[in-house]
Amino acid sequence: MSDNNNNWQNDPSLQNISADKMQYLMKMMSEVNGKDKNSLLPFLMGLSSSSEQNGMDFSDNETDLILQVLSQKMTPEERSKIDMIRNLSRMIAMKNKTKK
């Protein structure tokens, strides 16, 4: 991200996210900070399966809220990529629901 400042975790809109989830997010964000732009997108795409493997299940509302807070520190290009990933994720989730 364009700003390595960790003030995102103090955003009041995140106050209802559990301490375990916030701890997990802080760990993931520390890993994101070391990534270059070319490896950021694949890393973010892998977070979903990684979070499931680690027992972290984020609701759609939590994910939207987290992305909204984090995107405040992103460049317009980074925000566009995140929006694209989120939209693809929603489409896949809807497709999986209709298969059941």
Side-chain angles (χ1 to χ4, degrees):
M1 291 193 325
S2 59
D3 183 66
N4 290 336
N5 194 334
N6 285 331
N7 288 335
W8 64 268
Q9 61 201 18
N10 296 322
D11 190 295
S13 57
L14 298 176
Q15 69 185 5
N16 292 327
I17 295 179
S18 74
D20 289 342
K21 288 181 180 180
M22 284 301 292
Q23 187 72 21
Y24 180 78
L25 286 171
M26 287 187 287
K27 179 181 178 255
M28 291 297 103
M29 289 305 297
S30 68
E31 292 179 29
V32 166
N33 285 334
K35 304 268 182 230
D36 63 23
K37 289 186 179 188
N38 292 329
S39 60
L40 183 61
L41 191 59
F43 175 78
L44 292 174
M45 290 176 73
L47 282 181
S48 177
S49 61
S50 171
S51 64
E52 288 175 13
Q53 291 171 356
N54 288 301
M56 291 291 137
D57 185 29
F58 292 92
S59 69
D60 285 343
N61 288 339
E62 288 174 327
T63 302
D64 287 340
L65 183 59
I66 291 163
L67 290 175
Q68 179 183 4
V69 169
L70 295 178
S71 69
Q72 294 172 10
K73 306 287 186 191
M74 294 179 181
T75 65
E77 180 182 305
E78 290 168 329
R79 264 181 270 166
S80 176
K81 288 179 182 178
I82 294 298
D83 289 343
M84 180 183 67
I85 293 170
R86 187 67 179 136
N87 289 334
L88 286 172
S89 173
R90 285 182 180 146
M91 288 177 10
I92 291 169
M94 291 297 284
K95 187 175 181 179
N96 288 339
K97 283 181 184 178
T98 59
K99 286 183 178 180
K100 292 181 179 181

PDB file of all heavy atoms in Angstrom, residues 5-6 8 15:
ATOM      1  N   ASN A   5       1.600   3.208   7.270  1.00  0.00           N
ATOM      2  CA  ASN A   5       1.108   3.576   8.578  1.00  0.00           C
ATOM      3  C   ASN A   5       0.057   2.563   9.045  1.00  0.00           C
ATOM      4  O   ASN A   5      -0.813   2.167   8.304  1.00  0.00           O
ATOM      5  CB  ASN A   5       0.486   4.980   8.471  1.00  0.00           C
ATOM      6  CG  ASN A   5       0.248   5.612   9.798  1.00  0.00           C
ATOM      7  OD1 ASN A   5       0.072   4.931  10.794  1.00  0.00           O
ATOM      8  ND2 ASN A   5       0.230   6.917   9.810  1.00  0.00           N
ATOM      9  N   ASN A   6       0.146   2.129  10.288  1.00  0.00           N
ATOM     10  CA  ASN A   6      -0.786   1.136  10.815  1.00  0.00           C
ATOM     11  C   ASN A   6      -1.972   1.744  11.544  1.00  0.00           C
ATOM     12  O   ASN A   6      -2.634   1.056  12.303  1.00  0.00           O
ATOM     13  CB  ASN A   6      -0.049   0.155  11.732  1.00  0.00           C
ATOM     14  CG  ASN A   6       0.775  -0.832  10.958  1.00  0.00           C
ATOM     15  OD1 ASN A   6       0.453  -1.177   9.833  1.00  0.00           O
ATOM     16  ND2 ASN A   6       1.853  -1.281  11.556  1.00  0.00           N
ATOM     17  N   TRP A   8      -4.789   2.306  10.517  1.00  0.00           N
ATOM     18  CA  TRP A   8      -6.054   1.721  10.062  1.00  0.00           C
ATOM     19  C   TRP A   8      -6.704   0.903  11.168  1.00  0.00           C
ATOM     20  O   TRP A   8      -7.923   0.866  11.278  1.00  0.00           O
ATOM     21  CB  TRP A   8      -5.842   0.857   8.812  1.00  0.00           C
ATOM     22  CG  TRP A   8      -4.976  -0.343   9.066  1.00  0.00           C
ATOM     23  CD1 TRP A   8      -3.634  -0.442   8.912  1.00  0.00           C
ATOM     24  CD2 TRP A   8      -5.403  -1.619   9.551  1.00  0.00           C
ATOM     25  NE1 TRP A   8      -3.191  -1.689   9.264  1.00  0.00           N
ATOM     26  CE2 TRP A   8      -4.257  -2.437   9.656  1.00  0.00           C
ATOM     27  CE3 TRP A   8      -6.649  -2.152   9.894  1.00  0.00           C
ATOM     28  CZ2 TRP A   8      -4.320  -3.755  10.098  1.00  0.00           C
ATOM     29  CZ3 TRP A   8      -6.703  -3.468  10.334  1.00  0.00           C
ATOM     30  CH2 TRP A   8      -5.549  -4.252  10.428  1.00  0.00           C
ATOM     31  N   GLN A  15     -14.457  -1.308  15.274  1.00  0.00           N
ATOM     32  CA  GLN A  15     -14.549  -1.656  16.692  1.00  0.00           C
ATOM     33  C   GLN A  15     -15.356  -2.922  16.970  1.00  0.00           C
ATOM     34  O   GLN A  15     -15.149  -3.568  17.998  1.00  0.00           O
ATOM     35  CB  GLN A  15     -15.128  -0.500  17.496  1.00  0.00           C
ATOM     36  CG  GLN A  15     -16.590  -0.210  17.221  1.00  0.00           C
ATOM     37  CD  GLN A  15     -17.073   1.022  17.948  1.00  0.00           C
ATOM     38  OE1 GLN A  15     -16.296   1.717  18.593  1.00  0.00           O
ATOM     39  NE2 GLN A  15     -18.348   1.296  17.852  1.00  0.00           N
TER      40      GLN A  15
END
